[in-house]
Every structure is written in C-alpha cells, then in structure tokens.
Amino acid sequence: SNILKQIQENLLLQKKSFAVLIDPDKVETGKMTAILNRLPEETDFIFVGGSTVENHKTDLVVKAIKASSNLPIILFHGNVNQISSFADAILFLSLMSGDNPEYLIHQQVKSVKHLKRTALEIIPTGYILIDGGKTCTTERVTETKAIPQTEVEKTVDVALAAQYAGKQLIYLEAGSSARYLVHPRIIKAVKAQVDLPLIVGGGIRTKDQRKSAYRAGADMVVMGTAFEKYIE
Ligand code: 1GP
C-alpha cells in the first residue's frame, strides 16, 4: 500500500516521476548491475514486463534488479506467467480502450491464484491504448483496436469510466516504439477531467518528449525501448 500512496502524494505535490521499463526478454540477468548503472538518475520506479516473456524469466530478472537497486519494482505484465512475488507492486491492468473480455476481466481472474500467494501491492489501473501510428504488439496480442488520436473525447470518457469503476491510476499507452506519442492534447484533456495520477508511455525517447508529456499533465512517464537501446 506504499507505492500507490507515494504516487498519490506525488500527484498532490505536483511532483513528476519517471519509470524505466525493463523487458525480461531483452536483458541478461548477469549484466544487471551494469544495466542498472545506466539508469537515468531521475528514475523513480522500475517497471518490469513484456508481451512474450516465458515463465520464471521474470523472477530471475526481478531478483537480479533487487540485488543491485533499491528502487521500487512494479510489474507491468503482459500475462499471468509474469507475476513475480519478488517485485513490490503490480499494475492490475484492465484494457479499457478495447472490447476483448479476455483483457477486461479474464486475465485478471486468472491472475488471482498467483496473486493470492504473493504480498504484492495491487494497483487497479485503467489501461488505455492510443493509436501510435503503427500496429503495436499490445493491439496484436489483445486483438483490440487502439483509440485514434483524434478521438479525444472518447479517450476522456474511457478514462472517466475507469475512475468511476474505481481504478487508481490511468495509463495512456501509445504502444512500444510508437511512431506517434500520445498527443499532448489528449494528455491535457484527460488531465483536466480525471482526478487520478496519469501515466504516459510509448515511443518516448528524448528528454524533450518527456517534458512535453509532463507539461501536458502526465504525472509519470515510462520509457522502455529508448533505455534498451542505451544499454546495448
Ligand atoms: C511504455 O509500453 C511502453 O508505456 C514502452 O514503450 O518501449 O516505446 O518506450 P517504449
């Protein structure tokens, strides 16, 4: 119950935060210390997850991160096999931009038997996929369509529905390596009407892009691929 509290406090203090996403499939656990040494110093959270990670790899990676970093580890899991009890928290995602019951509720139900055996902090999160200009893995895996960038009002409605449903975080996602980031106009519109902490990610590479997301109202920005490139 500490991590959500921290994020909520950051919201009240208008303190922006930064998360780096590590895909267990794309790192060697033996090199973890070196990898973590290259984390930007402003990193507040480490997200761990990917679309196609095999069983147990997540455990290994989370343990390796724990061994050389004190940053909170938040699972951002593509499926139930990626639940590791060694992390601190899990984004309990509901893909609310799409209409596939598997990712609205069935995956959540399947994860319960794993979660019951862990002490992970569970953070109810409304996950909203915005069109990033190319078919992203999330769309492919979940067989859902992202919301077009032009449909700002619909995006706001989805985010508000998530808030009314009791989600504690809103995550606007343009997809990994998105060609177009979530437009500031969308971030701004959601921020204006939703009271929850707002996470934005997908395709963000530069500090300027990060800044523009913050300026539009993102409370937390997530960077994955750009960090991977950096550690190669
Ligand atoms: C974070 O899933 C994304 O929301 C990761 O996107 O790999 O493009 O940073 P990138």
Side-chain angles (χ1 to χ4, degrees), residues 117-152:
R117 287 190 242 116
T118 74
L120 289 169
E121 179 185 342
I122 298 169
I123 306 179
T125 304
Y127 192 45
I128 302 174
L129 200 53
I130 308 290
D131 182 19
K134 61 180 205 184
T135 309
C136 70
T137 319
T138 314
E139 275 185 298
R140 225 178 325 112
V141 172
T142 63
E143 294 174 352
T144 66
K145 281 247 152 294
I147 302 177
Q149 297 254 1
T150 46
E151 294 187 20
V152 179

Side-chain angles (χ1 to χ4, degrees), residues 46-61:
I46 298 178
F47 282 17
V48 174
S51 321
T52 53
V53 190
E54 28 169 301
N55 300 6
H56 307 304
K57 183 82 202 272
T58 306
D59 267 347
L60 295 176
V61 167

Side-chain angles (χ1 to χ4, degrees), residues 128-203:
I128 302 174
L129 200 53
I130 308 290
D131 182 19
K134 61 180 205 184
T135 309
C136 70
T137 319
T138 314
E139 275 185 298
R140 225 178 325 112
V141 172
T142 63
E143 294 174 352
T144 66
K145 281 247 152 294
I147 302 177
Q149 297 254 1
T150 46
E151 294 187 20
V152 179
E153 202 180 318
K154 174 169 180 194
T155 305
V156 172
D157 287 353
V158 173
L160 273 175
Q163 175 174 326
Y164 298 161
K167 307 301 180 206
Q168 298 296 313
L169 300 179
I170 299 294
Y171 195 139
L172 296 177
E173 168 75 85
S176 192
S177 311
R179 199 176 309 151
Y180 309 117
L181 315 184
V182 178
H183 197 281
R185 178 186 331 118
I186 298 173
I187 301 175
K188 214 172 178 178
V190 170
K191 186 65 180 179
Q193 296 196 49
V194 174
D195 302 320
L196 301 172
L198 187 57
I199 306 178
V200 175

